[in-house]
Amino acid sequence: MSKLSICVAGCGTMGTGIAIVAARGGANTVLFDVARDRLEAARQQMANFFEKSVARGKLAPEQVEEIMGRVSLATDPAEVSDCDLVIEAVFEDLKVKGALFQRLNEHCSPSTLFASNTSTLSITEIAAVSGRPDRFVGMHFCLPAQLMKLVEMSPGLETTDETFDRAWSICEGLGQQPVKTLDQPGFILNCFLVPFNNDAIRLVEQGVAEPAEIDKAIKGALGYAMGPMELLDLVGLDTQVLLCEALHGVTHEPRAACPPLLRRMVAAKRLGRKTQRGFLEYDSNKIYGS
Ligand SMILES: NC(=O)c1ccc[n+]([C@@H]2O[C@H](COP(=O)([O-])OP(=O)(O)OC[C@H]3O[C@@H](n4cnc5c(N)ncnc54)[C@H](O)[C@@H]3O)[C@@H](O)[C@H]2O)c1
């Protein structure tokens, strides 16, 4: 049997982490993005992460060489035509995702499965425009994907059992822990997280406390590894705006509505870790854990 090959389409915050999981899990991994500089940056972030894994004694240098040897870069969909699975992690926008899947559908082998890492959009709706709704599944990795095992997996209305089972077994084979959820906005995690993080932003907006103080309180009292402000900076404030729009647009949950401060931060290009400034400040844009 030929080696498993996975294309990760969209190599920003999530795609880079998912690519680490795929390559570390033994798959030939193609990083696909519209932005060539993003691809180069993603490969460098992966290398930095694995370098740190060596320093921590988790991987041997030869293993890293082998893993990085399985990684290639592509900007043309023709280059990913024979992948077994495409995991899409582009902007949280139905039109952008739909257009990408349509292009991929023209080039990919009929046996290629499509998965979306969407946090809030409908799997069934993306699948419907993809051209292969029966071979489409939701695979929602958690941030930071390179460290978190959990993957929320959702079948769309037309997803076949065979597709779902195959994607599930690939996910487990990569060392991840899938949980099955309904195709509904926010699945399990973001039903809590998007409103919770917005509540924290509103506290800053109202001048109740400084971001670092909010994180200190939440971590200290609730035992979370990361406070909401630090988490938001890792998620990306631009991505949080899109998550709010998608979730609020469907559920009309008032706490999911985008806080005005969040929009102002994005307008000022304070996007979080990716621009080294969000609610907190950072001295490099290295991927989390490296
Ligand atoms: N950031 C999070 O915390 C998080 C967590 C889980 C899931 N998600 C989901 O993952 C997806 C990506 O989010 P992100 O935060 O990584 O976004 P991001 O903005 O960091 O990265 C998006 C990447 O997609 C690329 N891209 C855009 N359009 C493209 C196209 N047509 N073809 C190929 N590449 C394209 C961009 O160049 C960029 O590199 C979204 O659906 C989001 O909801 C995000």
Side-chain angles (χ1 to χ4, degrees):
M1 213 170 92
S2 64
K3 194 171 184 57
L4 179 71
S5 68
I6 295 179
C7 164
V8 180
C11 293
T13 305
M14 284 309 289
T16 307
I18 296 168
I20 288 174
V21 171
R24 189 179 52 197
N28 286 333
T29 305
V30 190
L31 311 186
F32 175 87
D33 204 292
V34 278
R36 174 54 69 174
D37 58 342
R38 183 69 304 267
L39 284 175
E40 300 292 354
R43 178 155 60 184
Q44 189 55 51
Q45 286 178 318
M46 292 176 73
N48 292 344
F49 178 81
F50 289 129
E51 209 176 283
K52 198 64 186 247
S53 305
V54 171
R56 290 187 176 129
K58 293 189 170 173
L59 288 174
E62 314 78 77
Q63 285 175 297
V64 171
E65 205 176 312
E66 204 183 298
I67 292 169
M68 289 305 292
R70 289 197 277 271
V71 175
S72 58
L73 312 182
T75 51
D76 181 347
E79 294 171 77
V80 308
S81 59
D82 58 357
C83 284
D84 298 292
L85 173 69
V86 176
I87 305 175
E88 166 276 313
V90 304
F91 304 133
E92 187 74 336
D93 181 308
L94 184 57
K95 284 203 184 101
V96 175
K97 289 183 191 291
L100 169 64
F101 277 120
Q102 282 165 12
R103 278 181 72 211
L104 290 168
N105 188 43
E106 285 167 19
H107 290 89
C108 286
S109 144
S111 63
T112 303
L113 301 185
F114 286 172
S116 176
N117 184 52
T118 181
S119 305
T120 49
L121 301 172
S122 158
I123 298 301
T124 304
E125 279 184 57
I126 311 172
V129 292
S130 74
R132 52 182 79 185
D134 53 329
R135 286 154 288 157
F136 199 105
V137 68
M139 267 180 112
H140 181 243
F141 287 73
C142 295
L143 185 75
Q146 62 276 17
L147 300 180
M148 304 287 274
K149 296 272 179 223
L150 183 74
V151 181
E152 294 173 311
M153 291 199 55
S154 326
L157 277 183
E158 301 296 333
T159 305
T160 63
D161 289 347
E162 192 189 348
T163 298
F164 191 77
D165 293 347
R166 171 88 182 114
W168 183 280
S169 92
I170 290 176
C171 187
E172 284 186 326
L174 296 176
Q176 299 298 106
Q177 287 163 359
V179 292
K180 188 173 180 181
T181 81
L182 261 190
D183 171 22
Q184 66 152 19
F187 308 115
I188 303 170
L189 282 182
N190 280 306
C191 284
F192 297 102
L193 268 183
V194 173
F196 176 81
N197 287 341
N198 282 348
D199 289 346
I201 297 170
R202 290 193 184 97
L203 290 180
V204 178
E205 217 163 31
Q206 292 158 13
V208 173
E210 291 296 320
E213 296 296 299
I214 293 172
D215 279 355
K216 210 198 275 180
I218 301 284
K219 285 196 283 190
L222 301 183
Y224 291 1
M226 218 185 269
M229 313 316 303
E230 197 188 345
L231 179 60
L232 277 159
D233 281 352
L234 187 58
V235 166
L237 304 192
D238 48 346
T239 296
Q240 177 73 5
V241 169
L242 297 177
L243 296 183
C244 292
E245 283 169 354
L247 193 59
H248 185 256
V250 179
T251 63
H252 305 294
E253 157 63 51
R255 289 172 60 229
C258 185
L261 174 62
L262 184 62
R263 281 194 201 284
R264 289 206 296 278
M265 304 269 296
V266 171
K269 300 270 184 300
R270 296 186 188 189
L271 306 183
R273 275 180 178 261
K274 58 181 123 177
T275 55
Q276 295 173 38
R277 197 149 77 125
F279 288 105
L280 305 163
E281 295 198 1
Y282 306 86
D283 54 14
S284 93
N285 75 342
K286 278 189 179 167
I287 193 166
Y288 192 83
S290 61

mmCIF file of all heavy atoms in Angstrom, residues 1 25 55 77 81 92 96 110-111 139 179 196 202 209 211 265:
data_model
loop_
_atom_site.group_PDB
_atom_site.id
_atom_site.type_symbol
_atom_site.label_atom_id
_atom_site.label_comp_id
_atom_site.label_asym_id
_atom_site.label_seq_id
_atom_site.Cartn_x
_atom_site.Cartn_y
_atom_site.Cartn_z
ATOM 1 N N MET A 1 0.833 -1.201 0.000
ATOM 2 C CA MET A 1 0.000 0.000 0.000
ATOM 3 C C MET A 1 0.870 1.255 0.000
ATOM 4 O O MET A 1 1.882 1.295 0.682
ATOM 5 C CB MET A 1 -0.885 -0.012 1.258
ATOM 6 C CG MET A 1 -2.233 0.625 1.033
ATOM 7 S SD MET A 1 -3.315 0.326 2.441
ATOM 8 C CE MET A 1 -2.983 1.769 3.423
ATOM 9 N N GLY A 25 2.914 12.394 12.265
ATOM 10 C CA GLY A 25 2.161 11.136 12.294
ATOM 11 C C GLY A 25 2.527 10.184 11.161
ATOM 12 O O GLY A 25 1.930 9.122 11.029
ATOM 13 N N ALA A 55 15.217 19.523 21.513
ATOM 14 C CA ALA A 55 15.795 20.087 22.744
ATOM 15 C C ALA A 55 15.107 19.509 23.979
ATOM 16 O O ALA A 55 15.730 19.342 25.025
ATOM 17 C CB ALA A 55 15.670 21.605 22.719
ATOM 18 N N PRO A 77 -3.266 23.623 -7.378
ATOM 19 C CA PRO A 77 -4.059 22.453 -6.959
ATOM 20 C C PRO A 77 -3.686 21.170 -7.708
ATOM 21 O O PRO A 77 -3.884 20.068 -7.178
ATOM 22 C CB PRO A 77 -5.510 22.843 -7.242
ATOM 23 C CG PRO A 77 -5.497 24.185 -7.824
ATOM 24 C CD PRO A 77 -4.112 24.740 -7.829
ATOM 25 N N SER A 81 -3.183 16.555 -6.427
ATOM 26 C CA SER A 81 -4.249 15.740 -7.022
ATOM 27 C C SER A 81 -4.317 14.308 -6.477
ATOM 28 O O SER A 81 -5.388 13.723 -6.448
ATOM 29 C CB SER A 81 -4.076 15.700 -8.539
ATOM 30 O OG SER A 81 -2.810 15.151 -8.836
ATOM 31 N N GLU A 92 -12.316 31.705 7.667
ATOM 32 C CA GLU A 92 -13.652 31.227 8.058
ATOM 33 C C GLU A 92 -14.718 31.966 7.235
ATOM 34 O O GLU A 92 -15.412 32.864 7.725
ATOM 35 C CB GLU A 92 -13.834 31.465 9.573
ATOM 36 C CG GLU A 92 -15.102 30.867 10.172
ATOM 37 C CD GLU A 92 -15.049 29.361 10.319
ATOM 38 O OE1 GLU A 92 -14.290 28.697 9.606
ATOM 39 O OE2 GLU A 92 -15.810 28.841 11.150
ATOM 40 N N VAL A 96 -15.056 31.629 0.404
ATOM 41 C CA VAL A 96 -13.627 31.321 0.198
ATOM 42 C C VAL A 96 -13.428 29.803 0.238
ATOM 43 O O VAL A 96 -12.771 29.215 -0.627
ATOM 44 C CB VAL A 96 -12.753 32.003 1.285
ATOM 45 C CG1 VAL A 96 -11.292 31.583 1.156
ATOM 46 C CG2 VAL A 96 -12.878 33.517 1.190
ATOM 47 N N PRO A 110 -10.863 11.019 -7.636
ATOM 48 C CA PRO A 110 -12.182 10.785 -7.030
ATOM 49 C C PRO A 110 -12.076 10.158 -5.637
ATOM 50 O O PRO A 110 -12.983 10.281 -4.819
ATOM 51 C CB PRO A 110 -12.863 9.807 -8.004
ATOM 52 C CG PRO A 110 -12.116 9.945 -9.280
ATOM 53 C CD PRO A 110 -10.722 10.382 -8.953
ATOM 54 N N SER A 111 -10.960 9.504 -5.357
ATOM 55 C CA SER A 111 -10.835 8.841 -4.046
ATOM 56 C C SER A 111 -10.353 9.790 -2.947
ATOM 57 O O SER A 111 -10.333 9.428 -1.766
ATOM 58 C CB SER A 111 -9.875 7.650 -4.142
ATOM 59 O OG SER A 111 -8.593 8.132 -4.484
ATOM 60 N N MET A 139 -13.554 18.173 10.329
ATOM 61 C CA MET A 139 -12.443 17.746 11.203
ATOM 62 C C MET A 139 -11.933 18.991 11.890
ATOM 63 O O MET A 139 -11.098 19.711 11.339
ATOM 64 C CB MET A 139 -11.311 17.141 10.355
ATOM 65 C CG MET A 139 -11.362 15.664 10.178
ATOM 66 S SD MET A 139 -9.970 15.107 9.149
ATOM 67 C CE MET A 139 -9.036 14.193 10.340
ATOM 68 N N VAL A 179 -13.642 13.058 18.546
ATOM 69 C CA VAL A 179 -14.957 12.880 19.177
ATOM 70 C C VAL A 179 -15.991 13.214 18.099
ATOM 71 O O VAL A 179 -15.757 14.109 17.283
ATOM 72 C CB VAL A 179 -15.207 13.795 20.399
ATOM 73 C CG1 VAL A 179 -14.322 13.437 21.568
ATOM 74 C CG2 VAL A 179 -15.045 15.263 20.042
ATOM 75 N N PHE A 196 -17.504 32.965 25.690
ATOM 76 C CA PHE A 196 -16.653 33.146 26.871
ATOM 77 C C PHE A 196 -15.540 34.166 26.573
ATOM 78 O O PHE A 196 -15.304 35.096 27.349
ATOM 79 C CB PHE A 196 -16.065 31.781 27.246
ATOM 80 C CG PHE A 196 -15.089 31.768 28.389
ATOM 81 C CD1 PHE A 196 -15.541 31.773 29.704
ATOM 82 C CD2 PHE A 196 -13.727 31.716 28.158
ATOM 83 C CE1 PHE A 196 -14.638 31.737 30.767
ATOM 84 C CE2 PHE A 196 -12.821 31.679 29.211
ATOM 85 C CZ PHE A 196 -13.282 31.690 30.520
ATOM 86 N N ARG A 202 -15.207 42.081 26.624
ATOM 87 C CA ARG A 202 -16.114 43.133 27.125
ATOM 88 C C ARG A 202 -15.644 43.661 28.487
ATOM 89 O O ARG A 202 -15.835 44.834 28.796
ATOM 90 C CB ARG A 202 -17.552 42.620 27.187
ATOM 91 C CG ARG A 202 -18.121 42.420 25.788
ATOM 92 C CD ARG A 202 -19.627 42.221 25.736
ATOM 93 N NE ARG A 202 -19.980 41.946 24.353
ATOM 94 C CZ ARG A 202 -20.153 40.719 23.840
ATOM 95 N NH1 ARG A 202 -20.052 39.649 24.607
ATOM 96 N NH2 ARG A 202 -20.431 40.564 22.556
ATOM 97 N N ALA A 209 -10.734 45.423 34.090
ATOM 98 C CA ALA A 209 -9.382 44.965 34.455
ATOM 99 C C ALA A 209 -8.498 44.937 33.214
ATOM 100 O O ALA A 209 -8.990 44.885 32.081
ATOM 101 C CB ALA A 209 -9.452 43.575 35.084
ATOM 102 N N PRO A 211 -5.914 43.159 30.548
ATOM 103 C CA PRO A 211 -5.927 41.788 30.016
ATOM 104 C C PRO A 211 -5.118 40.786 30.852
ATOM 105 O O PRO A 211 -5.593 39.688 31.140
ATOM 106 C CB PRO A 211 -5.324 41.964 28.615
ATOM 107 C CG PRO A 211 -5.675 43.363 28.234
ATOM 108 C CD PRO A 211 -5.652 44.158 29.502
ATOM 109 N N MET A 265 -9.387 46.560 17.283
ATOM 110 C CA MET A 265 -8.057 45.932 17.376
ATOM 111 C C MET A 265 -7.635 45.394 16.002
ATOM 112 O O MET A 265 -6.495 45.517 15.590
ATOM 113 C CB MET A 265 -8.072 44.764 18.374
ATOM 114 C CG MET A 265 -8.536 45.123 19.760
ATOM 115 S SD MET A 265 -7.251 45.610 20.883
ATOM 116 C CE MET A 265 -6.268 44.174 21.056
#
